[in-house]
Amino acid sequence: MRGSLLLTGVIVLLITPPAYAVPSGITVSRPVVMQPPTVGDRVGKFALRFRGTPYVWAGTTPAGFDCSGFTRYAYARFGIDLPHSSYAQWGLGRHVSRAQLRPGDLVFFGLGHVGLWMGHGTFIHSPHTGTVVSVERLAGTGYASSFSGAVRVAGSQQLVRKRPVIDRGQARRIRATHGFPR
């Protein structure tokens, strides 16, 4: 009896899937590897702070933005200078197709309007008088039909380091200026 009970237990263990097994019909994909953020990712995240800011013609501050003033302000925070003109911004960098869009790319509608691509089918912009900075979907909207193209701003796809890299001379000057011990 004891032998048959042991044999039954072994058979049950062999045919029962382990607790961590994936049920049939479900596919398991590889884990997502997180890339460090790019400057463009950070610009987009920063730009979200200004949702609800009113459109102001020629505006370039959080008191009010026009479209190119908004993209200019967002990029300036990260040390990238853009002109205050959607036409001039169109001529800035490498043009990319809609399929190649990455967060931080400038998206154009006609050449008179510019926004900032956020990824996942969305962009943020300061639309026109009487509106506020807002996030919009590109597909299935009027923006899709007026989409003219996109520009990848030079430096927008560089990875952001967690800590700034400084040389030894800078470190000495910082310690001396702030009285830190050596």
Side-chain angles (χ1 to χ4, degrees), residues 71-177:
T71 55
R72 180 176 199 231
Y73 185 86
Y75 263 104
R77 172 78 156 78
F78 296 87
I80 297 175
D81 188 36
L82 301 181
H84 187 194
S85 159
S86 60
Y87 297 97
Q89 289 180 8
W90 174 257
L92 272 183
R94 183 170 65 95
H95 289 257
V96 295
S97 71
R98 190 168 162 180
Q100 297 171 315
L101 286 170
R102 292 184 185 160
D105 288 344
L106 300 176
V107 289
F108 293 85
F109 307 92
L111 293 184
H113 186 62
V114 62
L116 182 67
W117 186 252
M118 301 295 293
H120 306 289
T122 63
F123 65 98
I124 187 168
H125 66 143
S126 186
H128 53 78
T129 302
T131 62
V132 297
V133 171
S134 55
V135 175
E136 307 280 352
R137 294 205 59 72
L138 181 57
T141 66
Y143 290 107
S145 62
S146 64
F147 179 77
S148 299
V151 169
R152 178 142 313 134
V153 175
S156 67
Q157 297 308 305
Q158 290 180 353
L159 298 179
V160 176
R161 297 174 186 264
K162 294 217 181 254
R163 293 190 190 121
V165 175
I166 60 173
D167 63 32
R168 289 182 180 175
Q170 285 176 303
R172 274 189 230 109
R173 286 189 297 278
I174 291 168
R175 282 193 299 269
T177 304

